Amino acid sequence: MLMERKENHNQAGCQNEFGALERVLVCPPAFMKIEEAINETQKHFLKDNIDREKAMEQHRNFIQMLHEHGADVVQLPPLAMYPEQVFTRDIGFTIGDTVYISTMGTDMRSGEDDILKEWLQESELKHKKISTPSIEGGDVITDGKKIWVGISSRTTEEAVEELRELLPEHEMISVPFDSQYLHLDCLFNIISPQEALIYKPAFSQEMIEKFEAHYDLTDVTDEEQFTMGPNVLSIGQDKIFSLPVNQDINKKLRRAGYDVIECDISEIIKSGGSFRCCTLPINRN
C-alpha cells in the first residue's frame, strides 16, 4: 500500500482551482535533477542543477504549511527513474468526482501515471485514463463547467477531443500559446470566479480577449513569469501560496484582498514548476 486509506474518504471532488483544498497528492523531490533542458528556466539552471537536500527541505516546509492550513497531504513514493516526479499536477487532474489519468507527453515521465493509477485503485477512487497521446494536467485548468486546456508540446487537440467526449456537459476551450513555454499553468491561472493571473505575451490577442470575457486579468511581468509567478496555489478562503521572490504579483494579490502565504521553494522552481505544478488536488470544497 502507498498509504493507509482513510475510512469514508474514497470519493474525489474538484469543481475549480480555488475551492478549499482538502486532499492533495504530492511527491518529494528526492531524485530531482535537470536531465535535459525542456524550458527556459531549466536552461538557465542546467549548469548548477538542483541541490536535492535544499529542495527536500523546502518541500517538507511546504507540506507542513499545507497541513497547517487544513489539507490532507498524500505523498506518492519517489523513484530514481523519474527526476521530475515532484510535479504531480501533470500526471492527472480531478474534474467532478473523477480523477483523469494523463497520458504523458514525454518518455522521461512515462510511468509516473502508473504510480497514480495504483494509488487511485488502492484508494478506491473513481478514475479514467486518457488514452489519446497526449495530455498533461499542467495544461488543464478547471472553472466549473468551463475547462481551459492548453495546446502545447505535451497536450494535443486529439487528447482534448477525447476529454470533450468524456465530459459532454462541460465547455472545453482549447488554448494555444507560445510553444517555448511548457504548460498553460506557467502562464495563466484562475484564482477566483472573477479573477485570473496571466502572462499576456504568450497568447494571441484573440485568446486574451476570450480570457477577458470571463475574468479580470492581473498581468505578470517577464521577470516574474520566469520565476513562475502565475503558478500559485489557491487553497480556499482567498488564501494563495506564492513565492517570496515574486513581490510584484504578491502586492497585487494583497491589494485585491488575498491572503498571500509566502513559501520559499526556489530550488524546486529551477526545474520550471512551482506550487500548482507540485500539487494534484483530489478534493476541494
Side-chain angles (χ1 to χ4, degrees), residues 10 16 57 65 80 95 122 143 199 202 204 228 259:
N10 60 348
N16 54 52
E57 180 183 357
M65 294 177 76
I95 300 176
E122 291 180 356
D143 184 12
Y199 179 64
S204 68
M228 298 291 120
D259 179 3

Side-chain angles (χ1 to χ4, degrees), residues 85-272:
Q85 205 176 356
V86 67
F87 300 132
T88 53
R89 176 73 64 154
D90 298 331
I91 60 176
F93 45 93
T94 308
I95 300 176
D97 65 353
T98 303
V99 181
Y100 293 87
I101 303 171
S102 300
T103 294
M104 307 306 288
T106 176
D107 291 342
M108 181 173 64
R109 301 200 64 182
S110 293
E112 291 183 42
D113 45 326
D114 293 331
I115 297 170
L116 171 61
K117 183 178 180 179
E118 181 183 347
W119 180 78
L120 291 167
Q121 289 173 336
E122 291 180 356
S123 302
E124 298 180 2
L125 286 166
K126 185 178 177 182
H127 58 277
K128 291 181 180 178
K129 172 74 172 177
I130 304 296
S131 59
T132 306
S134 59
I135 187 168
E136 294 187 356
D139 283 321
V140 181
I141 298 180
T142 304
D143 184 12
K145 294 296 183 182
K146 291 191 298 290
I147 313 293
W148 304 86
V149 188
I151 305 304
S152 69
S153 62
R154 301 293 182 85
T155 297
T156 66
E157 285 278 13
E158 291 78 12
V160 176
E161 185 57 36
E162 180 180 343
L163 189 61
R164 185 177 284 114
E165 291 173 3
L166 290 170
L167 293 165
E169 72 282 9
H170 286 71
E171 180 186 6
M172 210 69 54
I173 308 166
S174 295
V175 183
F177 58 86
D178 190 327
S179 60
Q180 70 175 292
Y181 303 102
L182 189 62
H183 288 127
L184 179 60
D185 64 4
C186 299
L187 307 166
F188 173 75
N189 199 352
I190 300 168
I191 57 174
S192 82
Q194 297 84 30
E195 296 166 299
L197 305 178
I198 190 170
Y199 179 64
K200 286 181 179 175
F203 301 99
S204 68
Q205 184 58 36
E206 180 184 5
M207 197 66 240
I208 292 169
E209 289 172 4
K210 282 187 180 180
F211 288 141
E212 287 175 335
H214 296 280
Y215 309 104
D216 294 327
L217 301 178
T218 297
D219 288 333
V220 175
T221 65
D222 293 347
E223 294 77 14
E224 293 196 344
Q225 191 288 317
F226 182 77
T227 49
M228 298 291 120
N231 203 260
V232 298
L233 176 68
S234 300
I235 61 169
Q237 298 179 318
D238 294 330
K239 296 179 180 180
I240 295 178
F241 274 86
S242 184
L243 288 168
V245 69
N246 290 333
Q247 283 300 301
D248 181 67
I249 193 65
N250 292 349
K251 287 176 184 176
K252 289 177 179 177
L253 289 169
R254 289 186 174 111
R255 282 200 299 266
Y258 291 94
D259 179 3
V260 178
I261 305 164
E262 293 190 357
C263 178
D264 183 13
I265 58 168
S266 54
E267 199 64 24
I268 293 170
I269 75 159
K270 288 180 178 180
S271 200

Side-chain angles (χ1 to χ4, degrees), residues 34-62:
I34 303 172
E35 288 198 329
E36 55 181 278
I38 57 174
N39 53 46
E40 293 303 311
T41 308
Q42 286 192 351
K43 288 177 185 176
H44 184 81
F45 293 109
L46 181 59
K47 184 178 178 181
D48 293 334
N49 223 288
I50 307 296
D51 182 335
R52 289 181 187 167
E53 185 175 338
K54 185 176 181 181
M56 285 289 287
E57 180 183 357
Q58 290 179 347
H59 196 261
R60 284 192 294 269
N61 183 51
F62 175 41

